[in-house]
Amino acid sequence: MFKLPSISLYIHIPWCLKKCGYCDFYSYVSKDSIPEKKYIEHLLKDFEKDLHLINDRKISTIFIGGGTPSLLQSNSIKKLIHGIKIRNMISKNAEISIEANPKTLEYQRFMHYKDAGVNRFSLGVQTFNSNLLKKIERTYTSKEVISAVIESKKVNDNLNLDLIYGLPDQSLEDALLDLQYAIKYNPSHISWYQLTIEPNTSFYAKKIKLPHENIIFNMLIEGDKLLEKSGYKKYEISSYSKLNYQCQHNLNYWNFGDYIGIGCGAHGKITQKNGKIIRTIKNKNINDFLSGNYLNSIFTVSKRDKIFEYFMNVFRLYQPVYKKHFREQTNLNESLIKKNIQIAIQEGFLINELDFWHTTKKGKNFLNLLLEIFLN
């Protein structure tokens, strides 16, 4: 019998202090005061309009992202979380995360977030090197980063630090030093991403030069070794955690779970009782959104796209892909992908077992080539 997957909630806060040159996320630069009271009211109305799609499922995780959610006042975050809770049954032990910019934080704000129900902080550190912070156009210094990390640790042990490697003019030693700094403060989770320059960014227009690919590859290899040696287990392509501290919200994404997306430009994926998957995209225009025009588009995912999207997510994880899980999450039979699986095995990307498929080291290193097989 088909079973609806677990469902999460993503809340997008679109304002930032400054648009970073490498960032392609949807955001507004905050030049004037933010209409946060009005925005919170409309976020909750947006949430209400989506509730009929989820078939009485409890929200298992909440992630407040952006943009820079920590630009909002603590009372706004408290009102937002309370508003969600009174409109829907939240799982008792739900993970509630908030992204934060070190420039906008102090001890009291962390305390208020915790009082509001936030139980996981995610700091956008990117690098501890002040010179590199300037080059990637961040608005804070290394000193402010360290202060934010220390203050957050006083309030909550469940802390993620976002770091990026492969920055302009970054050496292997620089990258490893960033990791050493992060490990020193003992966060429960470290997200370590390779910088990629997307076409719709100012870095792309400026043709910013990145380190040689051999240097970047060595950053990955040596960084993996350092993190593993320091007690961090790699459970996803760019995610490392202490025991039992994996990000549950992102795990739901990568296991092809469902999520409501509310706020300007937010995306949602919601499975229906008949097995069809609906995707929602919210209005990017802040003025339209604040006028009550929330939904930009809603559509049903095709069978072909459903298959590709499933593998695009689950192949990121360092765990077997169970055939039963494929059937449960897609409401499709694996016979539909028999030829694709055979090609992936022949290419050395996959190993086929009785109950699951396992991605080889080659498959992880050439993930894009593996995924291309499932586009057809």
Side-chain angles (χ1 to χ4, degrees):
M1 182 179 176
F2 177 66
K3 180 183 176 183
L4 288 170
S6 60
I7 190 158
S8 296
L9 172 64
Y10 173 74
I11 304 169
H12 191 71
I13 309 299
W15 293 281
C16 279
L17 291 171
K18 185 180 185 300
K19 186 76 171 178
C20 298
Y22 60 87
C23 179
D24 69 335
F25 291 124
Y26 178 67
S27 61
Y28 285 101
V29 174
S30 174
K31 295 180 179 177
D32 303 308
S33 61
I34 296 171
E36 56 186 276
K37 182 178 179 182
K38 189 174 182 180
Y39 189 66
I40 297 298
E41 291 173 357
H42 282 280
L43 279 175
L44 295 174
K45 289 179 181 178
D46 185 14
F47 180 61
E48 286 178 353
K49 284 181 174 288
D50 278 356
L51 285 179
H52 73 282
L53 296 171
I54 72 172
N55 294 297
D56 299 320
R57 280 175 283 174
K58 289 183 179 181
I59 299 294
S60 60
T61 68
I62 298 174
F63 195 98
I64 306 171
T68 308
S70 52
L71 283 175
L72 300 191
Q73 296 297 315
S74 304
N75 284 340
S76 295
I77 299 298
K78 185 174 183 179
K79 182 179 179 181
L80 173 61
I81 293 174
H82 176 72
I84 296 298
K85 287 182 175 179
I86 64 174
R87 286 167 172 81
N88 178 266
M89 289 292 292
I90 307 295
S91 296
K92 185 178 179 181
N93 298 316
E95 176 191 86
I96 303 178
S97 305
I98 188 168
E99 285 184 333
N101 182 318
K103 186 78 173 179
T104 62
L105 292 170
E106 70 285 329
Y107 178 72
Q108 286 300 322
R109 184 160 293 197
F110 281 118
M111 287 295 296
H112 291 316
Y113 288 157
K114 185 176 181 180
D115 290 342
V118 175
N119 51 32
R120 184 177 183 271
F121 300 140
S122 182
L123 294 185
V125 172
Q126 318 314 358
T127 175
F128 287 89
N129 185 314
S130 288
N131 290 330
L132 291 177
L133 284 170
K134 287 181 182 178
K135 288 186 177 181
I136 61 173
E137 302 177 0
R138 299 299 282 181
T139 58
Y140 47 83
T141 64
S142 176
K143 185 177 179 180
E144 287 171 313
V145 169
I146 293 170
S147 175
V149 173
I150 292 172
E151 294 300 305
S152 64
K153 286 285 291 182
K154 291 178 183 177
V155 178
N156 192 351
D157 282 335
N158 198 356
L159 171 67
N160 169 63
L161 300 183
D162 270 348
L163 295 172
I164 303 178
Y165 66 93
L167 303 175
D169 297 323
Q170 187 182 39
S171 67
L172 172 61
E173 291 73 20
D174 290 333
L176 295 180
L177 191 58
D178 273 342
L179 285 179
Q180 288 166 6
Y181 267 115
I183 291 164
K184 173 184 174 182
Y185 294 106
N186 196 33
S188 57
H189 191 285
I190 295 175
S191 299
W192 199 44
Y193 301 92
Q194 179 185 337
L195 178 63
T196 56
I197 306 298
E198 301 296 338
N200 56 333
T201 63
S202 66
F203 273 19
Y204 183 85
K206 295 174 184 177
K207 297 182 180 179
I208 295 294
K209 187 177 179 181
L210 301 182
H212 190 276
E213 60 184 14
N214 290 342
I215 296 175
I216 293 176
F217 183 71
N218 283 332
M219 290 176 182
L220 171 62
I221 297 302
E222 296 303 319
D224 275 349
K225 292 177 184 177
L226 177 57
L227 285 160
E228 183 178 355
K229 181 182 177 182
S230 303
Y232 292 89
K233 181 176 176 59
K234 188 173 188 176
Y235 68 97
E236 186 267 342
I237 284 178
S238 56
S239 300
Y240 306 76
S241 77
K242 294 289 186 70
L243 184 65
N244 298 325
Y245 279 100
Q246 298 95 333
C247 178
Q248 297 305 307
H249 185 85
N250 286 345
L251 274 176
N252 188 48
Y253 286 161
W254 297 322
N255 278 300
F256 207 54
D258 283 354
Y259 52 94
I260 299 175
I262 62 173
C264 282
H267 288 230
K269 168 194 171 280
I270 309 171
T271 307
Q272 301 302 288
K273 286 184 177 180
N274 60 7
K276 290 184 177 180
I277 292 176
I278 291 173
R279 285 208 174 269
T280 60
I281 302 175
K282 300 302 171 64
N283 202 323
K284 285 186 176 182
N285 186 289
I286 186 65
N287 293 321
D288 286 348
F289 189 87
L290 293 177
S291 299
N293 184 13
Y294 310 130
L295 189 63
N296 175 270
S297 63
I298 182 169
F299 58 93
T300 300
V301 178
S302 69
K303 186 184 295 185
R304 175 190 173 186
D305 287 344
K306 187 191 293 188
I307 290 171
F308 176 73
E309 288 178 12
Y310 173 83
F311 286 110
M312 182 176 66
N313 282 280
V314 298
F315 280 158
R316 292 180 64 94
L317 293 168
Y318 282 79
Q319 65 184 36
V321 179
Y322 286 92
K323 297 172 185 179
K324 180 183 178 182
H325 184 265
F326 172 79
R327 295 192 296 269
E328 288 176 346
Q329 299 299 94
T330 64
N331 199 30
L332 300 172
N333 191 281
E334 63 265 29
S335 62
L336 287 169
I337 53 170
K338 185 177 179 180
K339 290 183 179 179
N340 310 75
I341 294 293
Q342 287 175 344
I343 294 170
I345 292 169
Q346 290 168 3
E347 293 293 332
F349 295 146
L350 282 185
I351 295 172
N352 185 41
E353 302 288 354
L354 180 62
D355 297 322
F356 61 87
W357 303 293
H358 186 75
T359 315
T360 63
K361 185 176 181 180
K362 181 182 178 181
K364 279 288 187 286
N365 288 340
F366 298 95
L367 186 56
N368 287 340
L369 294 179
L370 169 57
L371 290 173
E372 283 179 11
I373 295 170
F374 292 90
L375 275 173
N376 300 315

